[in-house]
Amino acid sequence: MKRFVPVALVCALLVSAARVPSATAGSLSSVESDELQMSYSLLSSEFYKKTDPQVLLSGVHARLVTYLEHNGIAAPSVPNPHAVDDPASNARELDREVGAVASQYGTKFGTRNITYEAISGLMSSVNDKYTVFLSPKEYAALNEGLDGGNFSGVGIAIRVDDDTKLLRVTDIIPAGPAEKAGLQAGDLILTIDGRSTKGLSSDEDARMLRGKEGTIVRLGIQRNGASLGDLVSVTRAVIHQPSVYARMLPNNIGYARLTVFGASTAQELSAALDRLEAQGARAYVLDLRDNGGGYLNSAIDVSSKFVPSGPIVSVEARGGNDTQYDAENTAIPPKPLAVLVNGYTASASEITSGAIQDNGVGELIGTRTYGKGVVQTIHPLPDGSAVKITSARYLTPRGRDINSVGIEPDIKAADPARNARLGELPSDTQLQAAVTYLQGRLAQLGT
């Protein structure tokens, strides 16, 4: 199968059409000029619908006027460029427009800010909420959200227990310090280095659990209502934030919750399924609720764990060019499957949901999904910023365009109560519905 550009990131930098001399006070630098012209060229060539060059240039003009007026400049002097049929000429015209603004106002506002405002106006001109400019800070945050960050801690997910107000362990990161020390999901942490966790917030608890790599934290643990007695010593280590949390539910139903479709999600899911298979899983719940998506290739890899063969998704770029991506022959043995979805199941999550539903390998349970059926490509810019451009739309294996429509679940189950804990059977009514469905399927199959 052909490999492809991911939903959220493309690593190659494109070279702009022209360069200008290095910056002087109040003028664009060569990097700023490059970024401006690169952004124009990328938007005009890659946006999934045909663009009007005059609309693009006018969007920049309007944004710069608004920015200057908002910052106290009455009747600002901003050239109004006129587009022609040649994209390279339009890019240079845009450069001259922004350069003129930078020459006049750059000393006061900074040429970098003016360039950012211009690129933002360029992206917003196409009236697509997913086509945007990302500052270096925003771009870094996006990458960390998709690929996970690193921290030094003990390797657990936590929450404050509603009944006891003590710290509850909800998930254990596989092969992390807590698992090696014998902690289990469901444990109550009574004390952290002698300090009671009763009444503390999750953030306060997290700060005490984290610390320098190699240091030891001593925990008082209660399991199944009884104290373990001796303190449990856990040696902190660098932890990579996981995107998959998995455990066994009653009746040997494997449960896997995906928080994002990141670079390592498919590998994490594969390892989690291997563990659950080894523990005797008879059926599976794949929880995609509140998962806003991520990389396209991650969605295909995840889908391929459940869809043994055939199409996963078709991507249609500008000009009607379709590329179909098929399952990668990595599926686990077929078992009853329920996929939990809700109104925040979006993008890559919907690719996987649509692939599972259209191929008939599982039932979707919950509420209608968000309805994001378009693909973005992110192009990093030289200074660490980036432009995110909607470059294609996708269709499910049966040719459904779900953009702004979403996917209806096979079994409707209302969202749990506001105080419910997603992923925890006692209060998560949608998870209860999934378990009920799977128990029925297992009974039908006689397993």
Side-chain angles (χ1 to χ4, degrees):
M1 184 192 75
K2 176 183 175 184
R3 299 307 292 173
F4 40 82
V5 174
V7 167
L9 183 63
V10 60
C11 295
L13 288 174
L14 303 185
V15 178
S16 62
R19 296 185 64 85
V20 297
S22 298
T24 58
S27 67
L28 293 181
S29 69
S30 59
V31 171
E32 292 162 347
S33 178
D34 277 353
E35 291 177 343
L36 186 63
Q37 295 189 55
M38 287 167 64
S39 299
Y40 177 87
S41 298
L42 289 166
L43 182 62
S44 60
S45 63
E46 293 201 4
F47 188 63
Y48 78 124
K49 298 177 182 178
K50 185 177 180 180
T51 58
D52 182 336
Q54 186 59 57
V55 169
L56 302 188
L57 297 185
S58 296
V60 176
H61 177 268
R63 180 63 171 251
L64 289 176
V65 169
T66 300
Y67 171 72
L68 293 170
E69 288 178 340
H70 181 74
N71 284 281
I73 305 298
S77 175
V78 180
N80 198 351
H82 298 284
V84 295
D85 290 335
D86 178 33
S89 297
N90 291 331
R92 289 191 293 270
E93 182 71 8
L94 179 62
D95 185 66
R96 284 192 290 270
E97 175 195 16
V98 180
V101 174
S103 294
Q104 186 162 355
Y105 303 108
T107 301
K108 180 176 177 64
F109 298 112
T111 60
R112 173 56 60 195
N113 290 334
I114 290 172
T115 302
Y116 282 177
E117 289 296 323
I119 298 175
S120 295
L122 181 65
M123 295 297 124
S124 64
S125 69
V126 296
N127 292 317
D128 175 70
K129 62 182 178 180
Y130 305 118
T131 298
V132 295
F133 168 76
L134 300 171
S135 69
K137 183 177 180 179
E138 292 168 333
Y139 181 38
L142 175 63
N143 284 333
E144 182 173 343
L146 285 171
D147 297 333
N150 294 326
F151 62 91
S152 179
V154 299
I156 58 176
I158 57 174
R159 69 169 175 83
V160 175
D161 183 70
D162 291 333
D163 296 328
T164 65
K165 307 305 178 185
L166 294 164
L167 186 62
R168 173 81 66 182
V169 178
T170 59
D171 285 291
I172 302 286
I173 295 177
E179 184 180 71
K180 294 175 181 177
L183 268 67
Q184 300 176 10
D187 285 350
L188 282 175
I189 299 180
L190 308 178
T191 60
I192 302 174
D193 283 336
R195 181 179 177 184
S196 172
T197 65
K198 193 177 185 68
L200 298 181
S201 68
S202 294
D203 287 341
E204 291 172 319
D205 289 319
R207 282 194 292 271
M208 291 194 293
L209 289 169
R210 294 188 181 188
K212 187 177 180 181
E213 178 184 6
T215 58
I216 295 175
V217 59
R218 292 173 175 84
L219 308 177
I221 301 297
Q222 184 183 94
R223 182 174 298 160
N224 298 323
S227 172
L228 294 189
D230 294 336
L231 296 177
V232 177
S233 296
V234 185
T235 302
R236 296 182 178 100
V238 174
I239 306 294
H240 181 73
Q241 182 67 42
S243 59
V244 176
Y245 293 90
R247 64 182 183 277
M248 192 70 80
L249 298 177
N251 298 311
N252 283 355
I253 294 174
Y255 171 83
R257 176 170 62 91
L258 276 59
T259 61
V260 71
F261 281 76
S264 63
T265 300
Q267 291 83 359
E268 291 179 45
L269 178 62
S270 183
L273 292 174
D274 286 346
R275 291 196 303 272
L276 293 171
E277 285 280 307
Q279 294 171 33
R282 302 159 63 214
Y284 286 103
V285 176
L286 179 66
D287 194 344
L288 300 181
R289 292 173 297 177
D290 295 354
N291 185 319
Y295 296 120
L296 175 60
N297 54 331
S298 180
I300 294 173
D301 292 341
V302 166
S303 303
S304 295
K305 301 305 295 184
F306 304 101
V307 179
S309 62
I312 298 294
V313 67
S314 293
V315 176
E316 184 181 88
R318 196 155 108 185
N321 297 318
D322 288 356
T323 303
Q324 178 176 294
Y325 300 106
D326 295 334
E328 298 182 323
N329 300 314
T330 59
I332 61 174
K335 293 179 180 178
L337 171 66
V339 182
L340 290 175
V341 297
N342 64 9
Y344 300 101
T345 300
S347 190
S349 291
E350 290 175 293
I351 290 176
T352 293
S353 299
I356 288 172
Q357 187 179 61
D358 281 8
N359 283 285
V361 296
E363 295 286 298
L364 271 55
I365 298 176
T367 58
R368 186 175 65 177
T369 64
Y370 181 81
K372 183 176 183 287
V374 288
V375 177
Q376 285 73 49
T377 301
I378 291 189
H379 296 273
L381 299 176
D383 77 328
S385 61
V387 290
K388 179 160 69 80
I389 298 171
T390 297
S391 54
R393 66 171 186 157
Y394 70 78
L395 306 175
T396 71
R398 292 184 181 175
R400 291 185 291 168
D401 181 354
I402 61 93
N403 196 45
S404 301
V405 177
I407 300 174
E408 289 289 346
D410 301 293
I411 301 172
K412 292 185 178 181
D415 290 327
R418 293 178 63 89
N419 62 346
R421 302 285 186 179
L422 291 188
E424 298 186 14
L425 268 174
S427 62
D428 188 343
T429 52
Q430 287 177 332
L431 180 57
Q432 292 169 12
V435 169
T436 298
Y437 161 74
L438 291 173
Q439 287 175 334
R441 288 286 294 127
L442 290 170
Q444 290 175 350
L445 296 171
T447 61

